[in-house]
Amino acid sequence: MLTTSRGIALLLAFAISGLTVLSLSLLNEISPTLLMVVGGLTFSFSILLLSVALEFLIFKEIETLQKNNTFRREFIADISHELKTPIFAAQGYVHTLLDGAIEDKNVRYKFLKRAAKSLKTLDKLVQDLLTLNQMESGVVKFHFEDFDLKDVILELIDQLEHKADKRKVIIRFYFDKGKTYRTSADKDKISQAIQNLIANAIKYNHHGGEVVINLKARKKTLAVEIKDNGKGIPQEDLNRIFERFYRVEKSRSREKGGTGLGLAIVKHILEGHKSKISVTSALGKGSIFSFTLPLIKPSKSGKGNWATAQ
C-alpha cells in the first residue's frame, strides 16, 4: 500500500490532520465538534493535494524512468539481433569460401552474391538507424518546396512495379484528373515515406493481391490513403507498429527482409510536416495507412472524372 502514491498520500494526510487537531485541542475555546470539522477538512485537502503532487511530480517521473530503462534494454537487444543476423550470414559465406569452396567457380559466385546481399542489408540497417537518430535529435533539416504530389506517387509506382510483379500484386492509383495536387513539403522525405508505405503494402500482401492508392484534394489538405488486402494487423499491435524494430510476426517479417525501421521513419517524417500517420486494419481483410499534407493551390476540377493509374 505504501508503495503507491495513494497509500503514501493517505498516510501523510492522516498525520497532517492528526497534528492539526492535536495542536488545536490545546486551545481551550475549541469545541470537539469544531475539531472534528477541522480534522475532516484538513484530511480531505491534504489527501487531494498530496495525491496530485505525488502522482505527477514523483511517481510519474519514476514511471518514465522505468519505461526508459525498459525501452533502452529492449532497443539494445533488438539492434544487437538485427546487426548480428546479416553479419553472421556474411561471415558464414566468406569462411566457407576460405575453407576451400572458393575453388569451385559456381559456389564462389553464389556465396559471394549472398554475402554481398547480407552486407547490403547491414548497410541499409545502419543508414536507417542514422536517419532515424538524426530526425529524433533534430539534426535533419526539412527543405520545403512546392510540387505536385500526384507526380511523385506516379514515379514511385513506376519504381516499385517490379517488386509488385514478383508477387503478382496489382497497384491501382486513383485521382481526379481534373485537379492539381500541389503541396509544400520536403519532396525527398515525403517520397521516402510514401515509398515505404507502398513497399510494405506489397511485401505484406498476399500473392496476387491488390494495393490501392487514393489521392484526394479536400478544402485545405491533400489526403493520401494506401490500402492493401493482405493478412491485416491484430488490434493489440496497432499502437506499436511505429516503434523501432517492432514486428507483428518477427520470424515471418525477417524472412521478407527489411530493417524494421521503415514505419518509424515514416512517422518522424510526417511529424516533421506537422502531420500524423493513421492506420486501420482488420484481420484477413488488410490495412489502410493514411495521412494528409497541406493543399497550397485551389484545385480546378473539370467534370469530376476519375483517372486510374495501374
Side-chain angles (χ1 to χ4, degrees), residues 28-190:
N28 296 328
E29 61 271 18
I30 301 296
S31 66
T33 303
L34 184 58
L35 284 175
M36 290 179 62
V37 172
V38 172
L41 290 173
T42 304
F43 176 80
S44 299
F45 281 117
S46 296
I47 196 168
L48 178 63
L49 293 173
L50 288 167
S51 294
V52 173
L54 288 171
E55 181 67 24
F56 290 97
L57 297 181
I58 298 177
F59 278 82
K60 281 291 183 183
E61 184 67 24
I62 293 173
E63 184 180 353
T64 300
L65 291 173
Q66 289 175 338
K67 285 182 178 179
N68 288 340
N69 286 332
T70 301
F71 173 79
R72 194 175 294 111
R73 287 195 300 270
E74 290 178 352
F75 176 72
I76 291 172
D78 285 337
I79 194 173
S80 297
H81 182 85
E82 297 294 339
L83 289 170
K84 282 192 298 185
T85 301
I87 290 173
F88 284 177
Q91 281 181 330
Y93 294 128
V94 172
H95 284 308
T96 301
L97 292 172
L98 292 175
D99 289 340
I102 196 170
E103 302 299 330
D104 188 319
K105 185 177 179 180
N106 292 329
V107 173
R108 180 174 63 215
Y109 176 77
K110 181 170 67 175
F111 277 28
L112 285 174
K113 188 175 179 181
R114 290 179 179 177
K117 184 178 179 181
S118 296
L119 292 175
K120 184 178 179 180
T121 300
L122 179 62
D123 179 66
K124 180 68 167 59
L125 173 60
V126 172
Q127 292 300 324
D128 281 355
L129 273 172
L130 288 173
T131 299
L132 192 56
N133 183 65
Q134 289 171 347
M135 285 183 179
E136 290 178 343
S137 60
V139 174
V140 172
K141 302 299 180 184
F142 288 79
H143 304 284
F144 287 74
E145 59 180 301
D146 294 352
F147 61 92
D148 194 312
L149 189 59
K150 174 188 85 260
D151 295 337
V152 169
I153 296 176
L154 286 170
E155 289 176 10
L156 291 172
I157 291 173
D158 187 57
Q159 293 173 20
L160 294 168
E161 264 188 334
H162 70 286
K163 288 187 176 181
D165 290 341
K166 286 181 180 179
R167 307 200 70 243
K168 305 297 181 184
V169 171
I170 297 174
I171 303 177
R172 302 188 188 278
F173 179 27
Y174 295 98
F175 57 92
D176 189 333
K177 66 180 181 181
K179 293 183 179 180
T180 58
Y181 297 90
R182 298 196 67 78
T183 188
S184 178
D186 188 310
K187 186 176 180 179
D188 290 338
K189 292 183 179 61
I190 287 297

Side-chain angles (χ1 to χ4, degrees), residues 296-309:
I296 63 169
K297 274 189 177 182
S299 58
K300 296 180 180 179
S301 177
K303 295 183 179 180
N305 296 321
W306 287 87
T308 304

